[in-house]
Amino acid sequence: MSNSPRPDVKRVLLAHGSGGSLSRSLMEEVFLPSFTNPFLAPLNDQAVFTMPAGRLAFTTDSYVVNPIFFPGGDIGKLSVCGTINDLAVGGAGPVYMSASFIIEEGLPMDELRRVTASMSATAKKAGVQIVTGDTKVVERGKGDKLFINTAGIGVLPDSVELTPLRIAPGDKVIVSGTMGDHGISIMTHRQGIRMDVPVESDCAALHGLVEMMLKAGSGGIKAMRDPTRGGLATVMNEFAISSNTAISLIEDAIPVRDAVRGACELLGFDPLYLANEGKLVAVVSPEYVEAVIAAMRAHPLGIDAALIGTVIEKPKGRVLLETSVGNTRILDMLSGEQLPRIC
Amino acid sequence: MSNSPRPDVKRVLLAHGSGGSLSRSLMEEVFLPSFTNPFLAPLNDQAVFTMPAGRLAFTTDSYVVNPIFFPGGDIGKLSVCGTINDLAVGGAGPVYMSASFIIEEGLPMDELRRVTASMSATAKKAGVQIVTGDTKVVERGKGDKLFINTAGIGVLPDSVELTPLRIAPGDKVIVSGTMGDHGISIMTHRQGIRMDVPVESDCAALHGLVEMMLKAGSGGIKAMRDPTRGGLATVMNEFAISSNTAISLIEDAIPVRDAVRGACELLGFDPLYLANEGKLVAVVSPEYVEAVIAAMRAHPLGIDAALIGTVIEKPKGRVLLETSVGNTRILDMLSGEQLPRIC
């Protein structure tokens, strides 16, 4: 048996997914150097760690974004931030993650290395450990370069109870920053559209921001969500349906970058339906709004935090938008597809 | 916004992955009915549960098996059993799982329903709850029907310490049953090879068997592994390398079905390298061998349990096979690919 480094192998082969010595060399040469930690080192099929008694949060997402590298990020960074954010908006502090790769045969090995290095850097910065994983390889034309799944485990403090069921009329809606950056970044990059001011994805891990918000807002923060696929409009609809209330949003109060607004006008998109990967929306009891927004603006990822709307009684399950021109319209959930493979 | 049932939609569309109302209807009509439980019902992006203090095991695997339905199972059953088994062979009792789907546009909706029903039935039988998930849809030709990722969390009792590092010369090697059934099932089904006695995949959840073994073998069980990709030969090589010992196997003692042996001869495969999805191999201190094998044979998944070899001093990191014809040969780890997309 040979575990020699094989620097000659420049692309991922089907045999790298075979479970044999090429699988082992992929593990030893690509994954372990990026993710090295005491959990992964034994090369067992499971990670073992000790947790205190209490509530845990558990989440998973698969990432199929196309292209896998884009301004402001890549599929690896996205896969780490996305799972951290799903834990964070539930109020949980992310601790451990898994990472599983489905690779299309022929992926350049250095692209895989760039992605794993990006995951490793993102996880390290976030204080999260990638402790277990898996790799599969599919034939050319049966995948698309690289799909990544991450699952994450976080610790949920007893005092935290974030759920749309707590939302009530009078509550205020706050976003942490500009809407639509990720969607426009991917879309313009994918289509090769050149912009005067290129838009970068907002891809970022939000657990630090959430921690500051929970300190400032205590029990006054009712629910939080990261508006990814389907954007702000979809989350607002889900919140209105779950809480059996209505939500009224002020269009002019919703922060959108000029470049994003311009690209949306050009391409026929609505920034309120575009994916974000480093933003959150929170519903907050009115007496805590000021403190929560102040805490958000003191954090680098919440500088543009803004109060954008109010929870009202009816029409139940609906979202209303007071537009710039003074009309009020229903902000529906989309049924169609605005931007496939955005995350 | 409409969440109407849309019984007219017979295939998965790109828009089912958009995060909009079609995503919601897919969730409500396909996933929730299969996986209904109090964790999933709130439709949050994370599941929350309370765990006792102590050691947890955490694992993940992606499944890309082709075809997605095969004799003895399907990709859904496989994805649940596989993750349960990765926890079980570490000695952990599986409790919670995630399930994440990457669907190729055009997958018949009833095939997706069959897969989720199979996952649900398998999880229920195993006493495991699928508590969180995700769905992505990719364009036709950018995936292959359906890929599934599962991650699992299990509770690891303090008394259990299974690691190849504990393996020492004199220890015995035990398998729980016949080798190669899953590999031959997939291979012959994929190629349309008709057999007199069709081989069914052995796909099964092994945590019940492991529990019986741990009761009988106590601290005498040193290490366990489920020989999936790469088969028994690969696990034995990994154990020999990790423990810096050698392992000597008796070819005639290794259970292999006649039909599997026949198919292997016909197709040029070696059953010792074929994937199993409902078998385990354990290394056990000699004084516990009898009790462990007796406990295994008393369990439906361990009826064919057999003692197949011994750990020896050297050649270190090597696996030797005493063949039926009386020779001894090195059983290497394969570098190449015997059977792509077997799991």
Side-chain angles (χ1 to χ4, degrees):
Chain A
M1 196 209 72
S2 162
N3 286 320
S4 65
R6 301 179 191 254
D8 51 313
V9 180
K10 300 281 191 225
R11 288 178 181 273
V12 175
L13 309 173
L14 267 183
H16 281 112
S18 65
S21 66
L22 268 181
S23 293
R24 196 176 167 99
S25 73
L26 188 69
M27 186 69 194
E28 289 174 350
E29 291 155 38
V30 178
F31 295 115
L32 277 187
S34 284
F35 300 133
T36 188
N37 66 55
F39 302 98
L40 270 178
L43 284 180
N44 281 331
D45 282 337
Q46 74 291 122
V48 173
F49 41 80
T50 301
M51 295 294 263
R55 292 192 302 167
L56 298 181
F58 180 35
T59 190
T60 190
D61 265 319
S62 289
Y63 297 85
V64 300
V65 65
N66 169 29
I68 61 172
F69 298 99
F70 48 83
D74 58 77
I75 191 172
K77 182 180 179 187
L78 191 65
S79 72
V80 174
C81 292
T83 284
I84 288 175
N85 292 348
D86 279 348
L87 294 171
V89 296
V95 185
Y96 295 114
M97 285 182 63
S98 65
S100 179
F101 300 81
I102 299 175
I103 305 171
E104 184 190 18
E105 180 187 22
L107 179 74
M109 201 61 89
D110 61 357
E111 293 194 12
L112 183 61
R113 280 185 217 271
R114 278 172 63 197
V115 169
T116 56
S118 169
M119 293 179 78
S120 168
T122 306
K124 197 167 183 178
K125 190 176 161 201
V128 172
Q129 284 188 292
I130 296 171
V131 295
T132 191
D134 178 50
T135 305
K136 296 291 189 300
V137 183
V138 297
E139 307 91 328
R140 220 178 268 260
K142 301 294 184 185
D144 194 11
K145 288 194 164 184
L146 179 60
F147 302 146
I148 299 179
N149 176 280
T150 51
I153 299 176
V155 172
L156 186 61
D158 281 337
S159 58
V160 176
E161 192 66 42
L162 298 176
T163 163
L165 300 176
R166 289 181 60 213
I167 294 172
D171 288 345
K172 299 297 180 184
V173 181
I174 299 170
V175 290
S176 65
T178 55
M179 293 288 103
D181 300 14
H182 178 74
I184 288 299
S185 164
I186 297 292
M187 187 61 190
T188 52
H189 191 61
R190 191 193 291 169
Q191 309 280 29
I193 295 167
R194 293 188 54 177
M195 304 180 70
D196 294 343
V197 187
V199 175
E200 292 211 336
S201 166
D202 55 354
C203 184
L206 294 167
H207 57 309
L209 175 65
V210 169
E211 198 182 327
M212 293 300 110
M213 291 172 68
L214 291 173
K215 270 189 191 154
S218 164
I221 301 178
K222 306 288 194 73
M224 265 193 260
R225 196 69 64 84
D226 52 334
T228 57
R229 279 185 294 182
L232 178 66
T234 302
V235 172
M236 292 292 90
N237 271 282
E238 289 174 351
F239 277 8
I241 294 166
S242 298
S243 61
N244 201 29
T245 63
I247 295 176
S248 170
L249 300 179
I250 314 289
E251 187 171 30
D252 281 347
I254 301 169
V256 178
R257 279 184 210 287
D258 288 343
V260 169
R261 199 181 300 279
C264 279
E265 278 166 19
L266 198 71
L267 300 166
F269 291 123
D270 181 337
L272 305 190
Y273 291 94
L274 289 178
N276 310 278
E277 293 290 345
K279 301 290 157 53
L280 60 81
V281 52
V283 178
V284 179
S285 200
E287 66 273 26
Y288 289 96
V289 165
E290 206 175 315
V292 170
I293 290 183
M296 292 171 82
R297 289 186 179 156
H299 190 280
L301 294 175
I303 290 168
D304 297 321
L307 172 62
I308 62 165
T310 303
V311 180
I312 55 178
E313 291 276 358
K314 56 186 180 179
K316 291 191 188 304
R318 290 289 191 170
V319 180
L320 306 178
L321 185 71
E322 295 183 36
T323 67
S324 314
V325 293
N327 299 328
T328 298
R329 66 176 177 88
I330 299 277
L331 200 64
D332 258 347
M333 202 179 271
L334 287 189
S335 75
E337 178 59 81
Q338 240 202 165
L339 287 171
R341 308 218 11 227
I342 202 72
C343 61
Chain B
M1 197 207 73
S2 163
N3 286 319
S4 64
R6 301 178 192 253
D8 51 311
V9 180
K10 300 280 191 225
R11 289 177 180 273
V12 176
L13 309 172
L14 266 184
H16 281 112
S18 65
S21 65
L22 270 180
S23 293
R24 197 177 167 100
S25 73
L26 188 69
M27 186 70 192
E28 288 174 350
E29 291 156 38
V30 178
F31 295 114
L32 278 186
S34 285
F35 300 134
T36 189
N37 66 55
F39 302 99
L40 269 180
L43 284 179
N44 281 330
D45 283 338
Q46 71 292 125
V48 173
F49 41 80
T50 301
M51 294 295 263
R55 291 192 303 167
L56 298 181
F58 180 34
T59 189
T60 190
D61 264 320
S62 289
Y63 297 84
V64 299
V65 65
N66 169 28
I68 62 173
F69 299 100
F70 47 83
D74 58 77
I75 189 171
K77 182 180 180 187
L78 192 65
S79 71
V80 174
C81 292
T83 285
I84 288 174
N85 292 348
D86 278 348
L87 294 171
V89 296
V95 186
Y96 296 114
M97 283 181 65
S98 64
S100 180
F101 301 81
I102 298 175
I103 305 171
E104 185 191 15
E105 180 187 21
L107 179 74
M109 201 61 87
D110 62 355
E111 293 194 12
L112 183 60
R113 281 184 216 272
R114 278 172 64 197
V115 169
T116 57
S118 169
M119 293 178 79
S120 169
T122 307
K124 197 168 183 179
K125 191 176 161 199
V128 173
Q129 284 188 290
I130 296 171
V131 294
T132 191
D134 178 51
T135 307
K136 296 291 190 299
V137 183
V138 297
E139 306 91 327
R140 219 178 267 264
K142 300 295 184 183
D144 195 11
K145 288 193 163 187
L146 181 60
F147 302 147
I148 299 178
N149 176 280
T150 51
I153 299 177
V155 172
L156 186 61
D158 282 339
S159 57
V160 176
E161 192 66 42
L162 299 176
T163 163
L165 300 176
R166 289 182 58 213
I167 295 172
D171 288 344
K172 298 296 179 184
V173 181
I174 298 169
V175 290
S176 63
T178 54
M179 293 287 104
D181 299 14
H182 178 74
I184 288 299
S185 165
I186 297 291
M187 188 61 189
T188 52
H189 191 60
R190 191 192 292 170
Q191 308 279 29
I193 296 166
R194 294 189 54 177
M195 304 181 70
D196 294 341
V197 187
V199 176
E200 292 212 336
S201 166
D202 55 355
C203 186
L206 294 168
H207 57 310
L209 176 65
V210 170
E211 199 182 328
M212 293 300 109
M213 291 172 68
L214 291 173
K215 270 188 191 156
S218 165
I221 302 179
K222 307 287 194 77
M224 263 193 257
R225 194 69 63 85
D226 52 334
T228 57
R229 278 184 294 183
L232 178 67
T234 302
V235 171
M236 292 291 91
N237 272 282
E238 289 173 351
F239 277 8
I241 294 166
S242 297
S243 61
N244 202 27
T245 63
I247 295 176
S248 170
L249 300 179
I250 313 289
E251 186 170 30
D252 281 346
I254 301 169
V256 178
R257 282 185 207 288
D258 287 343
V260 169
R261 200 181 301 278
C264 280
E265 277 165 16
L266 199 69
L267 299 166
F269 291 122
D270 182 337
L272 304 190
Y273 290 93
L274 290 179
N276 310 278
E277 292 292 343
K279 301 289 158 53
L280 60 79
V281 52
V283 178
V284 179
S285 200
E287 66 273 27
Y288 288 95
V289 165
E290 207 174 314
V292 170
I293 289 183
M296 293 170 82
R297 289 185 180 157
H299 190 281
L301 295 175
I303 290 168
D304 297 321
L307 172 62
I308 62 165
T310 302
V311 179
I312 55 178
E313 291 275 358
K314 55 187 182 178
K316 290 193 188 301
R318 290 288 192 173
V319 179
L320 306 177
L321 186 72
E322 295 183 37
T323 67
S324 314
V325 294
N327 299 329
T328 299
R329 65 175 176 90
I330 298 277
L331 199 62
D332 259 345
M333 201 178 273
L334 286 190
S335 74
E337 178 59 80
Q338 237 199 167
L339 286 173
R341 302 202 34 208
I342 202 72
C343 62

